[in-house]
Amino acid sequence: MNAFAAAVDALFGDPNLARDAIWRAGGSGEGTPVRVVLRTPDQVTNFGAGRFVTAGRMLDVRTADVPSLDAGDTFEIGTEIFAVQGEPLRDAEGLIWSAEVKPA
């Protein structure tokens, strides 16, 4: 394990940062328990001469836990379910998936 993988494991193991979730490929089935980091960064959208700031929802999950992540997959966090929308991206080291999510 390299230093980056060890750091990722420490971050996802931190109870103040990461949460328990259930990942369901395609949004159905029994699901797999994983740890996720749910973020709500501001997103800027330009429309003509206007600029709009909205709250986005991003979810990070380890690629070791979720080898393949696709649009339509869902994550159940407590009583909320979030669906992956768009194309998820991996970090430069290939350790973390980042995906935009919306309430399902």
Side-chain angles (χ1 to χ4, degrees):
M1 177 182 304
N2 66 33
F4 292 111
V8 166
D9 286 346
L11 291 172
F12 280 87
D14 185 331
N16 298 304
L17 183 63
R19 304 181 195 183
D20 291 326
I22 302 294
W23 166 63
R24 291 183 177 88
S28 62
E30 188 173 315
T32 303
V34 296
R35 297 276 295 166
V36 300
V37 175
L38 186 61
R39 302 178 284 127
T40 54
D42 286 342
Q43 295 179 332
V44 177
T45 304
N46 294 316
F47 184 76
R51 181 176 164 183
F52 303 93
V53 178
T54 58
R57 285 203 173 123
M58 298 293 294
L59 183 137
D60 296 335
V61 64
R62 291 181 288 197
T63 58
D65 295 339
V66 179
S68 177
L69 186 62
D70 296 303
D73 289 2
T74 60
F75 290 88
E76 182 178 341
I77 305 170
T79 60
E80 295 182 286
I81 298 176
F82 298 96
V84 174
Q85 61 182 13
E87 187 68 29
L89 302 173
R90 286 182 291 197
D91 69 327
E93 298 295 322
L95 300 172
I96 299 173
W97 284 110
S98 290
E100 186 174 354
V101 295
K102 64 179 180 179

